[in-house]
Amino acid sequence: MEKKIKINNLVNLIFSCIIFIFEIMPESVKWVGSNGPNSANTVYLTSYIMDPGLMLWGIGFLTLIIVLLTITNIIINAVTLLDDRNKLKITTLVTTFICLLGSIILIMLMRQYVTLQNIFIMVFFLIQMILLIDSLRMSYKQKKLNSVKEESNEQ
């Protein structure tokens, strides 16, 4: 079971890195700027890490928060590979949930301008959450088995 937990932790790290790559792609966010009432809107393609001028829009702050939490997930998942603690997994689960929620909000706000990267990012966050929950379940199960073995060895 410990081997499955380690593989699960590695897969979480890989998913976090893939998500980050999708976030920094230049076509990951499509948003529209208005040129006035009588002219056509301008469509801009940018990454989740937008220019400071675009940060005035709420979408820029949302995508920046998602990127920062993804970087946090990468760091925590790397530490989890070295030191497997449930507290680290719970922290990653919470930050992944916030990222998933932010991705859902982003897709809801930008309905007609959703890119394929937005969908992939949201799906990968969902898969990562499922893997984290499974990893936590296996860790608690392993901890319970170890405590039962220790009790039987003492008697």
Side-chain angles (χ1 to χ4, degrees):
M1 187 167 315
E2 288 182 23
K3 189 174 183 178
K4 285 183 181 180
I5 293 171
K6 289 187 182 211
I7 291 171
N8 208 345
N9 292 340
L10 181 63
V11 170
N12 276 324
L13 179 62
I14 291 169
F15 270 116
S16 294
C17 293
I18 291 171
I19 290 169
F20 183 68
I21 289 170
F22 275 125
E23 289 172 349
I24 61 173
M25 291 175 95
E27 303 90 21
S28 58
V29 177
K30 187 189 296 184
W31 67 279
V32 178
S34 177
N35 292 333
N38 295 331
S39 59
N41 293 337
T42 306
V43 176
Y44 299 98
L45 293 172
T46 184
S47 70
Y48 272 55
I49 306 171
M50 294 185 181
D51 297 328
L54 301 177
M55 286 292 180
L56 296 175
W57 301 89
I59 301 300
F61 284 119
L62 181 62
T63 57
L64 183 65
I65 289 170
I66 293 171
V67 168
L68 292 176
L69 289 176
T70 303
I71 293 170
T72 304
N73 280 347
I74 291 171
I75 293 168
I76 294 173
N77 284 327
V79 171
T80 304
L81 284 177
L82 301 174
D83 185 20
D84 190 20
R85 292 188 183 174
N86 288 339
K87 291 178 183 179
L88 293 173
K89 290 179 188 174
I90 291 171
T91 305
T92 307
L93 183 65
V94 169
T95 56
T96 303
F97 177 73
I98 294 169
C99 289
L100 177 65
L101 198 62
S103 295
I104 292 170
I105 290 170
L106 182 68
I107 289 173
M108 286 178 16
L109 290 176
M110 308 285 283
R111 271 185 233 151
Q112 58 190 8
Y113 301 105
V114 172
T115 63
L116 196 55
Q117 284 92 337
N118 297 130
I119 302 296
F120 283 144
I121 289 168
M122 185 187 71
V123 169
F124 284 149
F125 277 132
L126 183 63
I127 292 169
Q128 190 178 21
M129 279 197 55
I130 292 168
L131 289 172
L132 283 165
I133 290 169
D134 188 48
S135 181
L136 270 170
R137 182 189 58 81
M138 285 191 293
S139 292
Y140 282 120
K141 200 179 215 182
Q142 181 68 33
K143 196 176 199 181
K144 193 173 183 181
L145 283 172
N146 290 343
S147 66
V148 168
K149 285 180 183 179
E150 287 177 6
E151 288 177 5
S152 65
N153 287 340
E154 289 176 1
Q155 293 176 1

